[in-house]
Amino acid sequence: MIVQRRAVTAALAAAALLLAAGCSSDGGSSPGGGGSTTAGGASSGVSSGASPSGRTAERTPPAKGTVKVVRTVAEGLKSPWGLAPLPDGGLLVSSRDDGTVVRVDEKTGRKTELGKVSGVSPAGEGGLLGIALSPDYASDHMIYAYFTSASDNRIVRMLYDEHKPAGEQLGAPDTIFKGIPKGYIHNGGRIAFGPDGMLYAGTGESGRRGLAQDKKSLGGKILRMTPEGEPAPSNPFPDSPVYSYGHRNVQGLAWDGKERLFASEFGQDTWDELNAVKPGGNYGWPDAEGRSDDSRYQNPIAQWHTDDASPSGIAYVDGVIWMAGLKGQRLWRIPLNGTKASADPQAFLTGTYGRLRTVAAAGGDKLWLVTSNTDGRGKPKSGDDRILELEVK
């Protein structure tokens, strides 16, 4: 299941852990479409779970914010999914259906194809999904990718050689981790390196609900591993890459300034979730969707009816989680006080750019936002896909 690699260094073994979690259908519809009630019983399309005002040592952002679309960076993208900003400028974008990685010049919008990732088998919500840069990218120029193969979902790494001709710049994929369950739906796919230098991956339960509660399965989990694909030191379950479980379909991962992990998660008929992830935490699926009175399960810090969100990527900027909504076709702002929402979530860009897939910090008060106007079954919808630059507060 896990491709064995060299032992991790003592420096990695000493790396500190800290917090996150989050999943509704990736496609344009979900079975129930929302309409449930909040934990308090009142009918509502969104429920933040914000605590009453109280003293805290952490600075909380304003309850209300703003979003300004600065410009369209690039358009005409084909089924874009993952986004990785390069340290020397440029944005790498993965195409779910084409299985290619494209470099976008963030100043001119010019697109250059690096190459096609061999082994990608796109279907439904599967294909070439999340991408991330190696923590040592400056010296090793390695790109990590999560993709659906003919047999599973897996994580590979590839050398990016920009001195080669366009279309030939991507090296052969080296599989570091395999055996993640695949399905026509719920393949997860977001990967990111945490502040501890470890690689985190959000997986889906591939439509087989029982996998989420099975700690021996890789489906419906957040995984934590070394850059070589080994279970990370100090993981909550011995010799296992499982970091948290009880997830339906995790597609968003982000850390705050205190290295606490947050994750977005698709619900089914009632509640999408934003979670603060605890090592070893059980997030309830399929026994709980949204908040629960069962003490065995971690409750989300915010939840939405599935019509209003269907969340994919998230990003953290200055005390705020920004969350991209697919079916909801909007960008959500969730201000934080520690690991709680400090005010009700606020929606922006509702219906303006269609389905929103990926959001990434762009430095300062800026965000990159990627649209996803191809539905979960690979059929193009109106309009093309683009990258936007936003100014957020």
Side-chain angles (χ1 to χ4, degrees), residues 67-72 365-367 388-392:
V67 170
K68 176 184 177 182
V69 178
V70 178
R71 63 192 175 105
T72 296
D365 58 357
K366 300 290 181 64
L367 287 176
L388 301 169
E389 181 183 342
L390 308 180
E391 182 180 281
V392 298

Side-chain angles (χ1 to χ4, degrees), residues 12-202:
L12 288 176
L17 288 188
L18 275 157
L19 311 178
C23 223
S24 81
S25 172
D26 186 334
S29 62
S30 58
S36 290
T37 59
T38 65
S43 178
S44 172
V46 60
S47 173
S48 71
S51 300
S53 60
R55 294 185 177 274
T56 176
E58 294 187 54
R59 173 190 168 274
T60 58
K64 299 293 184 180
T66 60
V67 170
K68 176 184 177 182
V69 178
V70 178
R71 63 192 175 105
T72 296
V73 177
E75 50 193 348
L77 298 169
K78 298 179 181 179
S79 60
W81 210 101
L83 178 74
L86 292 164
D88 57 349
L91 305 170
L92 298 185
V93 184
S94 61
S95 168
R96 183 193 65 191
D97 298 340
D98 287 356
T100 56
V101 177
V102 170
R103 178 171 180 159
V104 174
D105 186 313
E106 82 282 13
K107 295 178 181 177
T108 67
R110 181 172 178 267
K111 299 185 287 290
T112 304
E113 183 177 310
L114 275 58
K116 192 177 183 73
V117 181
S118 62
V120 175
S121 181
E125 295 173 5
L128 180 58
L129 304 176
I131 55 175
L133 302 183
S134 162
D136 299 317
Y137 178 82
S139 58
D140 66 22
H141 295 281
M142 298 299 288
I143 301 170
Y144 286 69
Y146 181 117
F147 71 76
T148 311
S149 76
S151 59
D152 62 3
N153 285 298
R154 57 182 57 192
I155 300 172
V156 302
R157 56 185 176 186
M158 303 160 287
L159 178 65
Y160 170 30
D161 186 349
E162 60 184 300
H163 300 295
K164 289 188 174 182
E168 301 176 11
Q169 297 175 344
L170 208 56
D174 172 26
T175 301
I176 66 158
F177 194 91
K178 61 183 180 179
I180 302 169
K182 65 170 285 187
Y184 195 71
I185 58 174
H186 304 175
N187 289 289
R190 193 71 61 184
I191 56 173
F193 280 94
D196 55 5
M198 299 299 162
L199 179 62
Y200 292 73

Side-chain angles (χ1 to χ4, degrees), residues 93-329:
V93 184
S94 61
S95 168
R96 183 193 65 191
D97 298 340
D98 287 356
T100 56
V101 177
V102 170
R103 178 171 180 159
V104 174
D105 186 313
E106 82 282 13
K107 295 178 181 177
T108 67
R110 181 172 178 267
K111 299 185 287 290
T112 304
E113 183 177 310
L114 275 58
K116 192 177 183 73
V117 181
S118 62
V120 175
S121 181
E125 295 173 5
L128 180 58
L129 304 176
I131 55 175
L133 302 183
S134 162
D136 299 317
Y137 178 82
S139 58
D140 66 22
H141 295 281
M142 298 299 288
I143 301 170
Y144 286 69
Y146 181 117
F147 71 76
T148 311
S149 76
S151 59
D152 62 3
N153 285 298
R154 57 182 57 192
I155 300 172
V156 302
R157 56 185 176 186
M158 303 160 287
L159 178 65
Y160 170 30
D161 186 349
E162 60 184 300
H163 300 295
K164 289 188 174 182
E168 301 176 11
Q169 297 175 344
L170 208 56
D174 172 26
T175 301
I176 66 158
F177 194 91
K178 61 183 180 179
I180 302 169
K182 65 170 285 187
Y184 195 71
I185 58 174
H186 304 175
N187 289 289
R190 193 71 61 184
I191 56 173
F193 280 94
D196 55 5
M198 299 299 162
L199 179 62
Y200 292 73
T203 75
E205 32 78 308
S206 64
R208 289 169 281 176
R209 297 154 59 105
L211 297 184
Q213 289 295 320
D214 180 358
K215 291 193 286 291
K216 294 181 180 179
S217 170
L218 299 174
K221 308 294 188 296
I222 294 175
L223 307 176
R224 177 177 179 263
M225 65 194 76
T226 70
E228 290 75 35
E230 301 285 350
S234 65
N235 270 3
F237 306 108
D239 302 316
S240 170
V242 173
Y243 189 68
S244 61
Y245 65 108
H247 299 292
R248 186 168 179 265
N249 192 18
V250 175
Q251 288 190 5
L253 300 169
W255 288 262
D256 70 2
K258 292 195 173 183
E259 303 186 359
R260 295 176 292 211
L261 176 60
F262 296 83
S264 61
E265 178 162 350
F266 290 88
Q268 180 171 282
D269 295 336
T270 48
W271 298 114
D272 294 326
E273 300 176 0
L274 177 68
N275 288 291
V277 178
K278 296 182 178 180
N282 183 349
Y283 288 81
W285 181 255
D287 302 319
E289 182 180 353
R291 291 196 194 90
S292 166
D293 293 329
D294 194 323
S295 62
R296 294 176 297 172
Y297 307 134
Q298 302 293 324
N299 279 329
I301 64 173
Q303 61 184 30
W304 294 258
H305 285 323
T306 53
D307 284 339
D308 298 327
S310 294
S312 188
I314 62 173
Y316 173 85
V317 177
D318 196 21
V320 172
I321 292 288
W322 296 90
M323 187 178 83
L326 291 166
K327 186 180 180 186
Q329 299 190 10

Side-chain angles (χ1 to χ4, degrees), residues 308-381:
D308 298 327
S310 294
S312 188
I314 62 173
Y316 173 85
V317 177
D318 196 21
V320 172
I321 292 288
W322 296 90
M323 187 178 83
L326 291 166
K327 186 180 180 186
Q329 299 190 10
R330 66 201 76 181
L331 180 67
W332 285 101
R333 177 186 186 269
I334 306 98
L336 300 175
N337 181 346
T339 56
K340 297 182 182 298
S342 60
D344 286 340
Q346 185 181 7
F348 294 94
L349 308 180
T350 303
T352 306
Y353 296 98
R355 293 155 49 86
L356 308 181
R357 169 70 68 185
T358 294
V359 59
D365 58 357
K366 300 290 181 64
L367 287 176
W368 306 119
L369 180 65
V370 181
T371 70
S372 185
N373 291 308
T374 300
D375 71 14
R377 282 125 186 99
K379 298 176 182 177
K381 291 192 171 182

